Amino acid sequence: MPIKSKYLFVASMDVDPEKEAVFNEVYDLEHVPNLLQVPGVHAVTRIAGEAFAVAIGGAEKAISHQGPRYSAIYEIDGPQVLTSPEWAKAVEAGRWPREVRPFTRNRQHALYKVR
């Protein structure tokens, strides 16, 4: 994925297992489309962490996933996007605040400047 924006905002979280289906449905069909309408948001990529193995120093090492399972990477113009009125409205739209957010935990947010 070529990154064309100057900043990446990463929102990571876990979700209660019994709410995983609605979490993914609302994230894909409502939350991401709403946030893509915010000025300064150019792309969103959703990812899910997995365990894996890697060869290091001539040996294979098993690595378990650490941290929240789900993340979304937002390509944005800058930090001001995250405090804009349009962002504030988009994150409260649809079913996200009622049917999803209360069932998320271990939420982490990070902002990265692309070099």
Side-chain angles (χ1 to χ4, degrees), residues 35-88:
L35 287 166
L36 283 170
Q37 297 302 310
V38 173
V41 176
H42 301 287
V44 180
T45 302
R46 293 190 60 219
I47 57 177
E50 296 184 358
F52 62 99
V54 63
I56 298 176
E60 189 174 291
K61 181 177 181 182
I63 309 288
S64 63
H65 177 75
Q66 302 293 312
R69 173 147 190 250
Y70 290 102
S71 294
I73 303 167
Y74 298 82
E75 294 186 38
I76 62 174
D77 286 342
Q80 73 281 358
V81 171
L82 304 173
T83 56
S84 70
E86 296 90 350
W87 180 276

Side-chain angles (χ1 to χ4, degrees), residues 4-23:
K4 297 178 182 174
S5 297
K6 295 182 181 191
Y7 285 86
L8 297 176
F9 170 65
V10 181
S12 303
M13 65 199 73
D14 289 314
V15 63
D16 293 347
E18 66 275 8
K19 297 294 184 175
E20 201 160 6
V22 73
F23 169 84

Side-chain angles (χ1 to χ4, degrees), residues 26 30-31 34 88-98 101:
V26 171
E30 296 179 24
H31 200 56
N34 288 337
K89 182 178 177 183
V91 298
E92 297 304 323
R95 295 181 289 164
W96 185 264
R98 301 180 316 281
R101 188 183 297 139

